Amino acid sequence: MVAGEEVANRRVVPNEYISGFPEETDMEIVTSTMKLKVPEGSKAVLVKNLSLSCDAHMRAQMSLDGAPSAASLFEPGSLIVNFGVCKVLESGHPNFKEGNLMWGVTGWEEYSLISMTEYLMKITNTDVPLTYYNGLLGMNGLTAYAAFFEVCSPKKGEYVYVSAAFGTVGQLVGQFAKLMGCYVAGSKEKVDLLKTKFGFDDAFNYKEEEDLASTLKRYFPEGIDIYFENVGGVMLDAVLLNMRLHGRIAVCGMISQYNRAKLEGVNNLFYLLTKRILMRGFFVLDYGHLYPQFLETTIKHLTEGKIVYVEDVVEGLEKAPSALVGIFQGHSVGRKVVLLARD
């Protein structure tokens, strides 16, 4: 590519606000032109996107009443924005240079001009696949690390429950818990993989259970010390009944609510009081200062085979809509990534 060259740039945009489960037809690929040049005086960076991350939280933000976040803001006809891995083509920012590899918030498109550079992190370790920075070594990994160790304050021998445990965050929380010497159980359809691949002590398919409170009692007869919340609704209600005294709940997501027109209520909040439970929401970007510590620790565990990571990679921007929809249909095995280009 030549600086200042004008190129075709394919982008993924939503057609309209989404109600209910997303469909591929809710998004389209449009082509525009883009000049490969950072505007004079700007501190933005111009990047080529190498791979893009698919995350459940993107669905919530595509609703008319969805809560906005610093990571992604959607409206019909505008570019979808989320985490990805990219390479700097030109930079107006003193901290980033041409050729730098980075992960952070970028557009669902082939080339992006990024002005929110505070959400970009340099990639210095390339001994692992670059796509790992979409999940394990990126936002999802830091989410698991910060929430488990900072919010949940785990102790050896405690009982840990992870809902929607087959997602990247849930997988890692379970593995961090096992490294801490905790008992871990998770819920998701892929029960065998949670136990054999990721080392969970036990697991169950919550979709096959009629009484979640009784199910949790069966898997946690002593009660739950730490609950990593990814589901919400009736799952949260059942967990509150089974929490131990002084238990901790880290609220990462509530995927059961993302496709509902009306959110479910939670009936058992009184147990927060009687069991002295700490329930706390968190935002991963508040823990950016932990990233160097997280990265060193996680790469060490990965190299030593103490952490296992699974990706589900599809190639081509045209596959992005189906990849995003697929995570709500249980199609992905591991982290869903859209590969656009190889470095």
Side-chain angles (χ1 to χ4, degrees):
M1 297 295 173
V2 180
E5 178 184 358
E6 194 168 86
V7 297
N9 188 29
R10 294 187 302 160
R11 327 174 83 203
V12 182
V13 300
N15 297 319
E16 55 189 350
Y17 290 113
I18 296 175
S19 177
F21 282 89
E23 299 179 0
E24 291 182 47
T25 53
D26 292 323
M27 294 162 274
E28 64 179 335
I29 310 293
V30 300
T31 302
S32 60
T33 57
M34 183 175 188
K35 194 172 186 179
L36 298 182
K37 184 73 178 174
V38 174
E40 193 71 31
S42 170
K43 290 189 176 181
V45 291
L46 176 70
V47 304
K48 180 179 182 179
N49 291 311
L50 304 180
S51 58
L52 303 171
S53 172
C54 294
D55 293 284
H57 68 248
M58 298 170 69
R59 163 62 188 83
Q61 294 160 352
M62 294 173 78
S63 300
L64 182 59
D65 56 354
S69 77
S72 310
L73 294 174
F74 295 88
E75 60 181 54
S78 69
L79 178 69
I80 292 178
V81 177
N82 196 40
F83 291 89
V85 173
C86 53
K87 184 175 183 177
V88 178
L89 299 180
E90 186 173 283
S91 174
H93 197 287
N95 293 342
F96 304 111
K97 305 298 181 185
E98 180 183 344
N100 282 166
L101 294 169
M102 301 187 298
W103 72 268
V105 178
T106 187
W108 268 34
E109 56 185 345
E110 292 172 303
Y111 302 92
S112 293
L113 182 67
I114 303 174
S115 58
M116 295 174 64
T117 53
E118 62 268 33
Y119 299 125
L120 293 175
M121 301 284 288
K122 283 184 185 176
I123 296 174
T124 56
N125 190 315
T126 56
D127 293 335
V128 297
L130 288 179
T131 52
Y132 280 22
Y133 289 91
N134 287 291
L136 173 67
L137 301 178
M139 183 271 291
N140 296 106
L142 182 58
T143 297
Y145 184 87
F148 186 63
F149 291 108
E150 296 292 313
V151 178
C152 297
S153 302
K155 302 178 187 66
K156 184 177 180 179
E158 288 194 311
Y159 298 94
V160 179
Y161 173 49
V162 185
S163 61
F166 201 70
T168 305
V169 177
Q171 291 176 20
L172 291 173
V173 170
Q175 293 182 80
F176 285 142
K178 288 302 298 178
L179 288 171
M180 276 288 299
C182 298
Y183 170 89
V184 185
S187 64
K188 197 56 180 170
E189 296 94 330
K190 302 171 180 69
V191 169
D192 289 340
L193 281 174
L194 287 175
K195 295 164 67 175
T196 59
K197 186 83 174 175
F198 303 113
F200 281 55
D201 293 290
D202 222 326
F204 63 91
N205 184 347
Y206 67 90
K207 294 183 178 180
E208 295 177 352
E209 302 293 336
E210 294 183 3
D211 186 341
L212 287 174
S214 296
T215 299
L216 290 173
K217 181 67 175 176
R218 187 167 73 248
Y219 284 91
F220 293 94
E222 303 297 325
I224 299 168
D225 292 296
I226 293 172
Y227 173 45
F228 200 84
E229 165 69 300
N230 284 308
V231 174
V234 295
M235 179 67 80
L236 177 57
D237 255 340
V239 169
L240 287 168
L241 286 171
N242 284 277
M243 290 296 291
R244 301 181 79 184
L245 202 65
H246 300 296
R248 287 87 72 203
I249 300 175
V251 182
C252 179
M254 294 191 172
I255 195 170
S256 71
Q257 306 303 299
Y258 295 162
N259 297 305
R260 290 180 175 272
K262 184 178 180 180
L263 301 182
E264 287 180 310
V266 178
N267 300 309
N268 291 324
L269 292 177
F270 187 67
Y271 288 99
L272 293 175
L273 170 64
T274 60
K275 297 184 178 185
R276 286 77 123 188
I277 298 168
L278 171 66
M279 182 173 174
R280 180 177 166 189
F282 64 94
F283 189 41
V284 64
L285 296 178
D286 293 336
Y287 296 93
H289 62 284
L290 295 178
Y291 187 71
Q293 173 187 323
F294 151 75
L295 189 63
E296 180 181 359
T297 300
T298 306
I299 287 181
K300 181 175 184 292
H301 288 326
L302 185 66
T303 303
E304 294 174 350
K306 294 179 180 178
I307 282 181
V308 178
Y309 182 58
V310 177
E311 289 186 303
D312 186 354
V313 180
V314 298
E315 286 201 48
L317 187 69
E318 66 279 0
K319 301 284 184 62
S322 62
L324 179 58
V325 170
I327 66 175
F328 295 98
Q329 299 172 340
H331 292 169
S332 57
V333 178
R335 183 68 187 156
K336 196 70 164 183
V337 174
V338 181
L339 185 65
L340 304 188
R342 301 181 190 276
D343 177 42

